[in-house]
Amino acid sequence: MDKMVRIAGVVFMAFLMTGCQSTEKDEADTDVKQVDETAKEEDKATEQMDTENDEDEEEAKGEGAPYETVNVTPDYFIETDNYDTGREFLTIFTIKRDDKRDQSREERLTASLMENDPSEQKILESYTKLTVDGANLKVDFQEDGNLLSATSAQHKMFYDSLIGISHLYGIEEITFVNPEGEEKITVAERMVDAPIVVEDERGNSQGYYTIYDKEGKQTWFIPTGDLNEGAGGEPLSLQETIEMMQTVDQEDAFYASAIAEGLEVKEVSLEDGLAIVHYTMDEEEVSASDRIVFENAMQLSALDFDATELRMVNETQRQSKTFPFTE
């Protein structure tokens, strides 16, 4: 009997130990599972935080990244041509920069005037010596008489080109001197016996529109003052001028806006000779040619306001491009 009791006790203890071991194993398995799930949740949260941090860094990088700085050569040249509207000839302009010629302001002004003289006999190149003293241009004529004559059409083109180019180089007065050293001479059917005041001849600056020469595959710029667009009224500020340049009011006009679709001027300022134009662009819509035309129009407009430097800030491409005028 005692033996049977001892056997039963041993069996009971065996079952008890087995049960305890199973419980401990289940609890251990549960703890491991919970740890695994917790680790997975932590990994998932960490991944999400990393992704958000990466996005924040990319956004911050886009907003705070420095602008690329581009400095353009100061050596600019002005070219002119004539456009026949069927009723009259209008003088059109463009600006080009060439760092290979490496000339002074006086040399560049002289070259621009002589190379773009519309008179048949090339009066400026053939019969004059040009000198610049600050804002004054002196034209010494080596010949007089019929050699300096011109038709009525050439008369207008000659003075529009002379005065327009001089203005875009900051010239305020032009003095003609005859071979005897006197300020009295007839040139292209006009008697000049006093300095020509450029501002009086040119009028208020009102911006530029474009004319595309299909044959020469070149865009030219025509002052709005020569058109009915924006004519009259009080002088415009640079910002008002550029705002006006964005649209063409006349239907079927032979000219167009220099600010193509996809370009948007955001802010314009002019202080102490520094003109700044902030703009955005649709990179899929605006071509490289559109941007060049826009930049050239802004340069001519800035020169009309006696700017010494133009800074074009492309907010889309984060680029700051500087066009100097004084060197």
Side-chain angles (χ1 to χ4, degrees), residues 169-187:
Y169 277 96
I171 297 298
E172 298 175 1
E173 287 189 349
I174 304 172
T175 302
F176 284 3
V177 179
N178 65 25
E180 286 73 41
E182 301 171 328
E183 294 183 19
K184 184 177 182 180
I185 189 171
T186 299
V187 180

Side-chain angles (χ1 to χ4, degrees), residues 124-159:
L124 295 178
E125 184 176 5
S126 303
Y127 307 113
T128 70
K129 177 183 177 182
L130 307 180
T131 55
V132 178
D133 182 11
N136 300 303
L137 170 65
K138 183 179 180 182
V139 185
D140 284 297
F141 287 88
Q142 313 298 307
E143 301 287 345
D144 201 347
N146 291 333
L147 293 173
L148 309 181
S149 63
T151 65
S152 58
Q154 284 185 345
H155 157 80
K156 182 179 186 304
M157 291 187 291
F158 176 82
Y159 283 100

